[in-house]
Every structure is written in structure tokens, then in C-alpha cells.
Amino acid sequence: MMCGGKTFVCVLGGVLLSTSVQALVADSFGNPYNRIVERNLFNLKQPAPPPTNVPPPTPPPTITLTSITTILGKKLVTMTVP
């Protein structure tokens, strides 16, 4: 009974300590990569917007299944394309 209580107190204390340390670290340093964004070291630019007046592609032809057969042990499919 005593061992379970000690374990619970130790785990609870560790959780509280780790969350407070994470909060201090996250607030005190800020984002170290902001300087890279501000300098634009790689000369990055916004992507160009997609073209709006491109005609839609033509639809593929309709393929109609005509038959399925197994002649001489080979599976064959016949289709018609207009």
C-alpha cells in the first residue's frame, strides 16, 4: 500500500515538473528559425497562381465491353472504341 502511494506522488511530481519546464523553455527563447524567414536566404518567392483560361481537357473515349471468353484456356476480353 505504501509503495503505490509513493509511486503515485513521484509520477505526479514528475509530470508537474516537466510541464512547467516546457512552458519556461517555450516562452523564453521564441522561434529560432524566424531569422531564416526574414533573411530569405534562398530567395524564395510566392508560387504563381494557376492559369484560369486553360480549356478543359477533352474527355476520354467511351470504351464498351463486348465479351469475355476463355478460348483454349486463354482468357480474352473484347471491347469496342468509337
Side-chain angles (χ1 to χ4, degrees):
M1 180 86 176
M2 291 294 289
C3 183
K6 287 182 183 180
T7 304
F8 177 72
V9 170
C10 289
V11 168
L12 183 63
V15 168
L16 291 176
L17 181 64
S18 66
T19 56
S20 64
V21 169
Q22 273 185 334
L24 290 175
V25 172
D27 291 339
S28 62
F29 293 116
N31 190 354
Y33 300 109
N34 279 339
R35 284 185 252 150
I36 296 172
V37 174
E38 292 166 1
R39 286 177 51 193
N40 197 9
L41 183 64
F42 301 108
N43 198 18
L44 300 175
K45 298 175 182 156
Q46 292 290 332
T52 58
N53 57 358
V54 176
T58 59
T62 56
I63 299 174
T64 307
L65 179 66
T66 306
S67 66
I68 300 174
T69 181
T70 55
I71 297 175
L72 300 175
K74 287 177 93 175
K75 294 180 181 178
L76 296 174
V77 175
T78 58
M79 294 178 256
T80 58
V81 179

